[in-house]
Amino acid sequence: MKTKKQPESSHTKHQSTGEWEVADIFHGYGEAYRQEYPLPYDHQKVMKAIMTCRTELLGGHLQQCDSCGFERLVFHSCRDRHCPKCQTTVKARWLEARQTELLPVAYFHLVFTVPHELNMIALGNKKEIGTLLFRAVSQTLLEFGRNPKNKLGGKIGFIAILHTWDQKLLDHFHLHCLIPAGALSPDGSTWIHPNSDYLFSVHALSVVFRGKFLDFFKRAYQENRLSFVGKTETFSTENAFQNLLNCLWQKEWVVYCKPPLDEPKLILEYLSRYVHRVAIANQRIINVSNGNVTFTYKDRQNNTIEECTIKAVEFIRRFLLHVLPKDFMRIRSYGFLANRSKKKDLTRCKELLGVKAAPSKMTSTRDLLKEMFGIDITQCPQCTKGKMLNIKEIQPLSETYTINEVFTMFGQADTS
């Protein structure tokens, strides 16, 4: 079965944009990766979803322009949250919903980072360590908000998003938090503005965050909620685990606060890029050939865009490091933005800040994508005047194929 024509020494570019994709790397080098590393079921599921996304394997529609008669095949998306080319509509709706919650105040962008000494344990315990990280950060921020000594003395609100990667796709566990500058008073009668250009002392936040996380971490160990396998097995004994705790207590944990933003839409748009996908966008992949992958990354120290070239198998290994546990929520809201209290508290915050309640509306997918990203999904690409209409449904070829069959269907690049 042919889905993409295979070049002799490298894999094919995306047909519509001319860009390389993560799917191309999986197509060309997934089998080579499997020969070198174990491939657990959750990784197989992600690879299969990305490899079959928008191909005839998933079915789709034949569309025709109502003006010039141009026809095209449009295949279904995999909708996997790890897929770099999926979730555009979901992302747009998330961004639209968050924009309706914005308040007319400055916003702070805080980043809480776990020391790299914990990375290997975190990779083997993603759900548990991720949960501890959310709990430690949320309790730290909410307590600082309630404490009058920290200049507010009320209920703050914030969105927290878990990232597990750095610009080179290596493991780097941290939470991004977007926080409005201010708090709702305990009796709900006043909006409390901060009396300085910063929200809380990052050093004080770091100390409390470290204490809470390590307390939760120690408790998880004592209750046998942590798994120690492979290279982390050495930490399973009480003495080794205590030595690790001592090392982590001695480190200064990183909490970074960017200058307050008067236009929070900008940081929302930045965060939205990572809300419904993981690790890397296809646009950053600039070449796949001869067993190597070249992609761009941002050098934050020099504020420059650089290129990184690694083996394709290593690229796959790094990408799969960030597969999330099933049903794990990597976006969470707290305080007056928490789902259980948002309707009452956020409405009150808007009233106190003089924000008029906007009528709720359900924007169509077409209008939403056009407004957010300038994409008209119904416009004919040929004449740009007509609208593309579905004229025939294409049934999926199969829904029961295995990862082995997918590798066989798409073929593999010559990686010898």
Side-chain angles (χ1 to χ4, degrees):
M1 181 192 73
K2 292 184 179 180
T3 53
K4 286 188 176 183
K5 185 179 179 181
Q6 301 284 335
E8 182 177 349
S9 61
S10 62
H11 210 68
T12 185
K13 294 185 180 182
H14 189 273
Q15 293 174 348
S16 61
T17 64
E19 296 172 349
W20 296 96
E21 297 183 351
V22 171
D24 297 324
I25 302 166
F26 286 174
H27 291 157
Y29 305 97
E31 180 61 35
Y33 172 83
R34 187 172 57 171
Q35 297 301 319
E36 192 167 338
Y37 295 99
L39 196 59
Y41 175 73
D42 57 340
H43 289 187
Q44 291 184 35
K45 187 176 179 181
V46 170
M47 290 186 73
K48 186 173 81 169
I50 293 175
M51 291 171 70
T52 59
C53 184
R54 300 183 189 176
T55 71
E56 56 263 50
L57 286 174
L58 299 186
H61 293 89
L62 176 64
Q63 294 185 337
Q64 186 179 64
C65 175
D66 62 4
S67 177
C68 69
F70 171 76
E71 292 185 353
R72 69 179 177 188
L73 291 171
V74 177
F75 298 118
H76 293 316
S77 301
C78 67
R79 299 187 180 182
D80 190 284
R81 61 176 171 169
H82 303 87
C83 181
K85 60 185 177 185
C86 268
Q87 309 293 331
T88 300
T89 303
V90 178
K91 177 179 74 173
R93 293 214 177 277
W94 181 86
L95 184 57
E96 180 187 42
R98 300 293 78 76
Q99 287 178 347
T100 65
E101 298 170 358
L102 292 177
L103 300 174
V105 297
Y107 275 68
F108 290 89
H109 178 198
L110 272 69
V111 183
F112 292 78
T113 302
V114 171
H116 286 184
E117 285 82 354
L118 277 168
N119 282 2
M120 291 300 296
I121 295 175
L123 287 172
N125 299 269
K126 288 180 186 175
K127 191 168 187 177
E128 185 66 32
I129 296 299
T131 300
L132 299 187
L133 180 55
F134 274 112
R135 188 182 304 165
V137 169
S138 62
Q139 288 191 12
T140 298
L141 287 173
L142 291 172
E143 287 181 12
F144 269 69
R146 287 192 296 265
N147 191 340
K149 294 181 180 179
N150 292 320
K151 307 172 184 177
L152 287 178
K155 179 189 282 189
I156 64 171
F158 58 97
I159 301 170
I161 301 175
L162 174 67
H163 286 185
T164 62
W165 60 88
D166 65 12
Q167 283 281 302
K168 293 185 178 180
L169 308 189
L170 294 169
D171 39 327
H172 179 58
F173 288 77
H174 57 288
L175 276 191
H176 290 267
C177 299
L178 187 62
I179 312 174
L184 183 65
S185 64
D187 61 2
S189 64
T190 310
W191 174 262
I192 306 170
H193 292 274
N195 56 9
S196 65
D197 290 335
Y198 67 95
L199 195 61
F200 308 122
S201 163
V202 290
H203 175 71
L205 284 172
S206 172
V207 172
V208 176
F209 166 51
R210 177 184 60 189
K212 287 186 176 296
F213 184 96
L214 291 181
D215 179 55
F216 296 147
F217 184 54
K218 182 177 181 179
R219 210 177 305 171
Y221 174 80
Q222 293 170 340
E223 295 172 0
N224 295 317
R225 289 187 279 117
L226 297 174
S227 174
F228 299 95
V229 294
K231 294 181 180 180
T232 66
E233 189 175 359
T234 181
F235 298 114
S236 60
T237 66
E238 290 189 13
N239 286 339
F241 186 80
Q242 186 59 52
N243 289 336
L244 174 62
L245 282 179
N246 294 339
C247 171
L248 294 171
W249 271 111
Q250 293 169 9
K251 290 188 67 69
E252 184 174 346
W253 289 37
V254 177
V255 178
Y256 173 69
C257 182
K258 297 186 178 182
L261 297 167
D262 292 327
E263 295 187 26
K265 287 185 179 181
L266 297 178
I267 189 60
L268 266 181
E269 291 173 0
Y270 164 77
L271 293 177
S272 73
R273 301 173 200 166
Y274 304 97
V275 166
H276 296 286
R277 67 163 172 77
V278 169
I280 190 169
N282 284 326
Q283 291 83 347
R284 287 176 52 197
I285 303 172
I286 58 178
N287 190 40
V288 182
S289 61
N290 302 319
N292 295 317
V293 177
T294 301
F295 60 93
T296 61
Y297 71 95
K298 186 173 183 179
D299 184 336
R300 300 196 183 280
Q301 288 187 336
N302 300 314
N303 197 29
T304 57
I305 301 299
E306 306 291 344
E307 293 183 4
C308 175
T309 299
I310 57 177
K311 294 293 184 182
V313 168
E314 172 62 11
F315 178 94
I316 296 174
R317 186 193 74 83
R318 293 187 190 185
F319 184 92
L320 294 177
L321 287 177
H322 311 294
V323 171
L324 296 167
K326 183 180 179 180
D327 300 327
F328 182 81
M329 295 177 58
R330 56 185 294 265
I331 312 162
R332 307 187 189 188
S333 301
Y334 299 92
F336 62 72
L337 289 174
N339 290 332
R340 63 180 176 272
S341 57
K342 178 165 53 179
K343 185 175 181 180
K344 176 185 175 183
D345 289 345
L346 182 59
T347 300
R348 183 57 180 154
C349 292
K350 288 183 176 181
E351 290 174 354
L352 294 170
L353 290 166
V355 178
K356 294 182 179 180
S360 59
K361 62 176 182 177
M362 189 65 180
T363 310
S364 69
T365 299
R366 174 195 171 187
D367 293 341
L368 184 62
L369 292 176
K370 193 171 183 178
E371 178 183 347
M372 294 283 185
F373 307 108
I375 302 171
D376 186 348
I377 59 176
T378 66
Q379 185 183 65
C380 174
Q382 188 79 5
C383 67
T384 68
K385 296 178 181 179
K387 300 300 179 185
M388 300 301 295
L389 305 177
N390 294 336
I391 61 172
K392 182 181 178 181
E393 185 175 358
I394 302 170
Q395 295 298 321
L397 291 184
S398 172
E399 295 181 357
T400 59
Y401 41 79
T402 66
I403 189 69
N404 297 338
E405 292 169 333
V406 173
F407 284 142
T408 301
M409 290 171 183
F410 285 96
Q412 297 292 313
D414 181 6
T415 57
S416 60

